[in-house]
Amino acid sequence: MASLLGIVFPVTFPGQGQLHSRRRSVVKSSSSSDERQTLFNRIAPVYDNLNDLLSLGQHRIWKNMAVSWSGARTGDKVLDLCCGSGDLAFLLSEKVGPSGKVMGLDFSSEQLAVAASRQKLRVRSCYKCIEWIEGDATDLPFDDCEFDAITMGYGLRNVVDRDRAMREVYRVLKPGSRVSILDFNKSNQSVTTFMQDWMIDNVVVPVATLYDLAKEYEYLKYSINGYLTGEELEALASEAGFSSARHYEISGGFMGNLVAVR
């Protein structure tokens, strides 16, 4: 449930563990995206602990799969869109190594602050190649064909304008390169849908209540119901210009990963 869409704040000088912002143009956030930004800022302090608790640590397996599907290699320049507190960005940095570059972009300043603080605690040289940027996923502050691979974890579901976000991903990705998008799976199977709803109502929200975040995590079920099926995600990528797109159901159909090639 990492965050997306963004607003832009004053730039600070780049460097390890520091945040800065970029813009191509000024984009006015909608009230809906503002509300989502506030939500993710609020849950940032306990986001990682809740992910571990609610998924029993399995989210780490899913994120490793997403990074592997991206095709990121040593020396690549890659983007983690909706980077949240940085899990996928850190995994990407291990793939690209010290000679590569990882850009982590998110719309939540609080999530990015957590990511930067986590980066400072890591000593491997590859983690120094990560740059955190607060920005807008529907108006990416990057050049055309800039990245060798892109990942997005639990973010596309939270974007107001998914068509525009996907077109932006296509624009900044190099020809022949891949985007890997991990999120909850909106299943066509009634049993899977029932189990997802039951888990959210009877496990996720009660646990979140202990952190005074029940309202924030009740949003999860509604966002999944309003998301796209695997077939719809494949169509979204095709319409954005990708040459191929395939959606994989994982973890018994509870999660899904879209892999699209530019």
Side-chain angles (χ1 to χ4, degrees):
M1 196 168 51
S3 47
L4 203 48
L5 296 176
I7 60 176
V8 185
F9 290 92
V11 174
T12 64
F13 293 104
Q16 183 184 4
Q18 291 184 318
L19 314 180
H20 62 290
S21 59
R22 297 181 178 187
R23 68 177 76 194
R24 288 200 302 138
S25 59
V26 176
V27 178
K28 181 177 177 60
S29 298
S30 69
S31 60
S32 179
S33 64
D34 287 342
E35 290 169 1
R36 296 178 190 190
Q37 184 182 38
T38 299
L39 183 153
F40 287 110
N41 279 335
R42 178 164 161 72
I43 67 175
V46 297
Y47 181 71
D48 290 321
N49 288 338
L50 277 174
N51 276 347
D52 280 327
L53 180 62
L54 294 172
S55 73
L56 300 178
Q58 291 185 82
H59 72 99
R60 301 183 185 280
I61 298 173
W62 306 327
K63 290 170 181 174
N64 268 297
M65 294 173 68
V67 168
S68 294
W69 266 319
S70 76
R73 297 176 295 183
T74 301
D76 280 352
K77 183 175 184 180
V78 299
L79 170 64
D80 182 25
L81 195 52
C82 321
C83 67
S85 58
D87 277 357
L88 270 72
F90 292 127
L91 292 172
L92 282 168
S93 71
E94 294 169 7
K95 289 285 188 182
V96 304
S99 62
K101 181 69 177 179
V102 179
M103 313 294 284
L105 183 141
D106 203 282
F107 77 159
S108 168
S109 59
E110 296 297 327
Q111 291 274 11
L112 290 171
V114 172
S117 66
R118 294 176 69 194
Q119 183 184 19
K120 290 179 181 178
L121 298 175
R122 299 183 177 224
V123 297
R124 287 177 57 182
S125 59
C126 64
Y127 299 128
K128 296 179 181 179
C129 73
I130 307 174
E131 180 179 332
W132 309 108
I133 299 172
E134 184 172 0
D136 187 343
T138 64
D139 190 38
L140 295 176
F142 307 114
D143 294 333
D144 295 355
C145 306
E146 185 168 345
F147 295 101
D148 298 290
I150 297 176
T151 58
M152 185 186 302
Y154 301 99
L156 186 62
R157 172 172 43 87
N158 298 305
V159 180
V160 175
D161 191 343
R162 297 181 189 125
D163 289 335
R164 184 172 174 181
M166 190 63 78
R167 289 195 298 272
E168 278 292 270
V169 169
Y170 178 87
R171 180 182 66 79
V172 302
L173 194 61
K174 291 180 180 179
S177 297
R178 282 180 270 174
V179 60
S180 177
I181 301 175
L182 170 68
D183 215 313
F184 286 92
N185 179 45
K186 183 179 180 181
S187 177
N188 291 318
Q189 303 297 319
S190 58
V191 173
T192 303
T193 301
F194 172 81
M195 288 301 299
Q196 275 184 333
D197 289 346
W198 188 92
M199 287 291 293
I200 293 170
D201 291 337
N202 295 280
V203 178
V204 174
V205 173
V207 170
T209 300
L210 300 177
Y211 294 83
D212 194 27
L213 293 172
K215 182 178 179 181
E216 285 78 3
Y217 277 82
E218 286 172 356
Y219 159 80
L220 181 58
K221 181 166 70 174
Y222 299 105
S223 70
I224 295 172
N225 290 338
Y227 194 39
L228 304 177
T229 64
E231 289 183 355
E232 290 170 335
L233 285 168
E234 290 172 351
L236 180 70
S238 296
E239 290 167 5
F242 286 89
S243 61
S244 66
R246 183 170 180 182
H247 183 266
Y248 299 90
E249 292 189 356
I250 56 179
S251 192
F254 285 94
M255 300 294 153
N257 202 105
L258 176 71
V259 181
V261 180
R262 190 191 193 286

